[in-house]
Amino acid sequence: MTSPLRNAALATLAAATTLAAQDAPKPTADFVRDVLPILESRCFECHRAPYEDERGRRRNPKGGLRLDTRELLLLGGDGGPVVVAGRPGDSALYTRTVLPADDPDIMPEKGDPLTPAQADVLKRWIAAGAPFGDWTGATTEPAPPVPATSGRATLYARLAADLAPPAAATLRTALGAHGRAEPLVDAGSLLRVSYPAHQESVDTAALRALGPLAAHVAELDLRRTPLTDLAGLPRLPRLVRLDLGSTRVDDAALRALRELPELRSLSLCGTPVTDRGLATLAELPALEHLYLWQSAATAAGVATLRARRPALHIVLAPELPADAPPQRQPERPRRR
């Protein structure tokens, strides 16, 4: 028989072995083997290169964040870097995956949360310095031109007719240190202009600087910039899409949009624009799509605008598929 003293010793040894195993450092997560499969299955759907959906609408990476390429993953999105090498607690790529399941900031935004094991992989990889090995990911070249089958491609082809691409010096002058231009047609004569990760740098002077590039800008992304008006916006004769979401642009500022004869799509989500501003928008002859979610516009104001412009597609709330379940209202606003 085994003595009680020996039993106690064996139990102590087993406990010590268990604690030692728990305290032993876990191996560094390999990016290609461990991290990349998580990003591919749970993140790339929303955070990849811009593309055209089946309805010909351009889909840009959410929050300006691309995770499908090493360079842009490290650059981060609209809110800045999401990975701080060696500091998982300061890296949103990890911290937003371990929020409570009902937190509106949790990522991934769709589907189930990451498992504890998946979140731990991200944590260990970042803690080890976020090494990528030889992985570089998708190309960081601009998104391919709009497919020729889409209606917008026809529009862009018309707008680009006989328009030569801008000179490199013009691009450098107009975009400064923080602007980015992506070609929308093969020749590169029509451009999408944005300021990824540097929205705070966009002011009236930055808008005025676009003047030499005015003939070439077909899409302009000014989301989350500190703009309160559009006083510096040059006349952009070929501008088709304008995103002013989450800015402080107000009703009075919208008068500048009368100088945009080709404007088809306008986002004013999260702005202080009210029903008074909608009256100005009714005067934009080419406008086809208007996004007003979380603006100060009301259902009554939208109804009045629809009566004046029945063909105008207006979104006052998030659009869901017809068979989607009712959307749960967040308990608190999403942090910016």
Side-chain angles (χ1 to χ4, degrees):
M1 296 179 60
T2 306
S3 69
L5 188 59
R6 186 167 183 272
N7 284 339
L10 290 172
T12 300
L13 178 60
T17 302
T18 300
L19 289 174
Q22 292 173 345
D23 293 339
K26 295 180 180 179
T28 301
D30 179 81
F31 181 82
V32 173
R33 183 191 66 220
D34 304 315
V35 178
L36 184 57
I38 297 172
L39 300 183
E40 287 177 333
S41 62
R42 302 305 313 277
C43 306
F44 280 9
E45 179 182 356
C46 297
H47 299 290
R48 58 172 167 143
Y51 66 98
E52 294 289 327
D53 66 15
E54 64 280 358
R55 296 174 61 183
R57 297 175 301 184
R58 184 183 179 89
R59 296 298 188 184
N60 295 310
K62 287 192 175 181
L65 173 64
R66 279 184 61 178
L67 300 176
D68 58 341
T69 164
R70 174 179 181 164
E71 178 184 345
L72 297 182
L73 189 157
L74 291 175
L75 177 65
D78 295 345
V82 296
V83 169
V84 181
R87 293 158 52 188
D90 294 327
S91 301
L93 185 67
Y94 165 68
T95 59
R96 290 187 65 174
T97 69
V98 294
L99 293 171
D102 61 349
D103 192 302
D105 284 339
I106 191 172
M107 290 293 167
E109 200 171 52
K110 301 177 181 178
D112 296 329
L114 295 189
T115 66
Q118 289 174 320
D120 184 62
V121 165
L122 299 181
K123 181 179 181 181
R124 287 188 284 119
W125 174 67
I126 296 170
F132 290 89
D134 295 332
W135 184 84
T136 57
T139 177
T140 57
E141 291 300 312
V146 180
T149 55
S150 77
R152 190 151 56 89
T154 302
L155 169 64
Y156 283 178
R158 174 176 67 79
L159 294 177
D162 301 322
L163 182 66
T170 301
L171 284 169
R172 288 194 297 269
T173 300
L175 300 175
H178 303 309
R180 176 184 295 175
E182 302 170 68
L184 293 169
V185 293
D186 288 324
S189 54
L190 286 185
L191 303 171
R192 177 181 186 271
V193 173
S194 61
Y195 300 84
H198 293 284
Q199 289 86 349
E200 73 285 349
S201 70
V202 180
D203 54 14
T204 298
L207 295 184
R208 288 200 182 102
L210 291 175
L213 203 61
H216 303 275
V217 180
E219 298 185 5
L220 180 58
D221 186 349
L222 298 175
R223 285 174 298 167
R224 300 184 182 181
T225 61
L227 292 171
T228 58
D229 60 53
L230 299 173
L233 189 70
R235 188 177 187 277
L236 303 173
R238 293 176 174 85
L239 186 67
V240 174
R241 296 171 56 111
L242 175 61
D243 194 337
L244 296 171
S246 299
T247 65
R248 301 306 298 168
V249 168
D250 60 12
D251 297 335
L254 299 183
R255 289 195 289 269
L257 303 184
R258 296 169 178 166
E259 301 300 315
L260 306 175
E262 295 289 350
L263 186 63
R264 310 299 174 99
S265 177
L266 174 64
S267 175
L268 295 170
C269 298
T271 66
V273 168
T274 71
D275 296 347
R276 184 177 301 175
L278 301 188
T280 299
L281 302 182
E283 301 172 11
L284 306 182
L287 192 63
E288 297 173 349
H289 301 279
L290 176 61
Y291 301 91
L292 295 169
W293 184 38
Q294 293 184 335
S295 71
T298 69
V302 168
T304 300
L305 179 57
R306 282 188 172 129
R308 295 183 61 184
R309 296 285 300 277
L312 180 58
H313 176 223
I314 305 173
V315 179
L316 190 59
E319 291 188 313
L320 298 172
D323 57 351
Q327 186 183 35
R328 178 177 61 83
Q329 293 298 318
E331 297 178 3
R332 58 185 176 82
R334 181 179 293 278
R335 293 191 297 271
R336 296 292 183 193

